[in-house]
Amino acid sequence: MTENWNHLKAQLEFFSTPFPQEAIDFANLHRDELAPFLVEVLTQVSAKPSLAMQEDYVLHQYAMHLLACWRDERAYAPLLALGRLDDSVLDAVLGDALTESYGRCLAGVCGGDTGPIKALIESMEVDFWVRHAAVHALVVRVLEGDDDRTALLAYLAALGENEAARIGDPSYVSECDELIDCLVQAAADLVAVELRDVVERWYDAGLINRSWLSREDFNTRLANSYEATRAQQLARDQGYVTNVKTEIGGWSGFHERVSPVAAESDLGSPASELTRPLPPKSWSPTPVETFVRETPKVGRNDLCPCGSGKKYKKCCG
């Protein structure tokens, strides 16, 4: 047992190229034996996040996604604990998984017990992006057919009304990131025509950040059928985590863009169509971009380009 774990750990503990598909296949083959070790990795990192801040350390990322693929409920408690880490370490521990897959991992391992996920959503002490991911976790469970859509819409409406009252209080000081924006996004994902009137009222009151979802886009989303939207979301891998490579294989560290000069001279093909493995010194969890940006990408911890002096994730992000 220990021998198999040591073998897997050696393959996955630190970032290396190419993507370790053989190690993932090995883990899937020995899942019953290896799952407790992976749960322990998450438990240790949630208790001591500095473990995940070692250069190139990624074992916890593989553990999180493997256990989510296996729908292993033993991962639920440590994943919840990760969500309650201080904002100062969250980005370093979870990287872009926080906004890309953390909520979907929660959805897959909760075993139907969504109370702790709702506790994350409702806690003012939890990082905004964790609350956002937790809202999406509830949406995912409905999209996957494991939870009731009507019950979730009622919860979103009640939570939104509480948020609207809080934001509308004269003594309220804006936090820039507002949970009510996430709730409107969730309503759109669920084609919540039942909530159109209440959401319209929130727009009328100026409570919704239109950079998240404009009123026009919200109503456009509601013009689609729920089943068509659901099928589209699941086709875009917005349901449960089912494949580790789908979630992790897109990290930019696994790929290097070929320069136009090299591409033209060496291969005679457009640079935008070519990638090759890159063995980096450090891991970058940012997914590979499939488009060319006209302006530099703003990191979530960078100063917001609007000039507010706040971090991007706490302002226009």
Side-chain angles (χ1 to χ4, degrees):
M1 180 181 294
T2 303
E3 181 179 352
N4 283 341
W5 167 240
N6 288 337
H7 172 74
L8 183 69
K9 183 179 179 182
Q11 301 301 310
L12 300 182
E13 187 166 20
F14 295 98
F15 182 87
S16 63
T17 57
F19 179 81
Q21 187 60 56
E22 289 187 5
I24 298 302
D25 292 341
F26 180 84
N28 286 325
L29 184 63
H30 300 278
R31 57 183 287 184
D32 291 341
E33 174 186 336
L34 297 172
F37 291 98
L38 296 172
V39 172
E40 181 60 23
V41 168
L42 294 182
T43 301
Q44 290 178 354
V45 169
S46 66
K48 189 177 180 181
S50 60
L51 292 173
M53 297 180 197
Q54 303 172 70
E55 185 176 6
D56 294 340
Y57 182 89
V58 290
L59 184 58
H60 65 301
Q61 291 273 1
Y62 284 113
M64 179 171 79
H65 291 94
L66 278 167
L67 291 166
C69 286
W70 300 340
R71 306 286 296 279
D72 195 316
E73 295 177 21
R74 290 170 293 184
Y76 194 28
L79 281 180
L80 290 167
L82 287 177
R84 291 187 178 275
L85 290 176
D86 188 81
D87 176 59
S88 63
V89 299
L90 259 176
D91 283 339
V93 173
L94 290 179
D96 282 357
L98 178 56
T99 52
E100 297 293 330
S101 57
Y102 172 68
R104 292 163 45 233
C105 288
L106 280 177
V109 302
C110 74
D113 179 15
T114 58
I117 294 176
K118 291 178 179 178
L120 284 181
I121 296 170
E122 296 164 18
S123 174
M124 298 294 293
E125 304 303 316
V126 171
D127 178 81
F128 168 79
W129 292 103
V130 172
R131 300 174 78 195
H132 180 211
V135 170
H136 188 59
L138 299 183
V139 171
V140 166
R141 289 193 56 80
V142 169
L143 294 176
E144 290 281 4
D146 286 331
D147 281 342
D148 182 69
R149 176 178 174 276
T150 300
L152 178 54
L153 294 185
Y155 174 73
L156 296 177
L159 193 57
E161 291 288 61
N162 288 338
E163 287 293 299
R166 185 176 65 87
I167 298 171
D169 189 297
S171 63
Y172 172 74
V173 177
S174 174
E175 298 174 356
C176 296
D177 295 324
E178 303 293 359
L179 184 64
I180 198 167
D181 298 321
C182 303
L183 304 180
V184 172
Q185 181 67 58
D189 290 340
L190 295 169
V191 193
V193 292
E194 303 93 325
L195 302 187
R196 186 194 301 271
D197 289 345
V198 68
V199 172
E200 289 279 7
R201 190 167 70 249
W202 296 342
Y203 276 112
D204 289 339
L207 303 179
I208 309 301
N209 181 344
R210 296 181 183 228
S211 66
W212 272 72
L213 189 67
S214 70
R215 186 198 299 257
E216 294 74 18
D217 288 342
F218 176 74
N219 283 303
T220 297
R221 297 276 297 279
L222 294 196
N224 300 319
S225 74
Y226 170 66
E227 285 305 323
T229 299
R230 174 177 178 268
Q232 182 183 53
Q233 295 264 47
L234 295 178
R236 292 174 49 238
D237 296 315
Q238 289 304 300
Y240 294 138
V241 171
T242 59
N243 186 296
V244 176
K245 188 172 185 179
T246 298
E247 306 299 331
I248 292 180
W251 287 350
S252 60
F254 288 121
H255 306 274
E256 177 189 15
R257 289 291 177 187
V258 179
S259 71
V261 173
E264 296 282 343
S265 60
D266 298 340
L267 301 167
S269 302
S272 60
E273 298 176 1
L274 300 169
T275 59
R276 64 167 177 255
L278 169 68
K281 291 184 178 180
S282 61
W283 161 57
S284 172
T286 306
V288 176
E289 300 294 342
T290 57
F291 60 94
V292 177
R293 295 180 182 275
E294 296 180 358
T295 57
K297 181 179 180 181
V298 181
R300 291 173 59 239
N301 279 318
D302 294 341
L303 289 178
C304 187
C306 76
S308 67
K310 300 177 182 179
K311 290 183 179 181
Y312 181 58
K313 67 182 180 182
K314 291 293 184 181
C315 194
C316 297

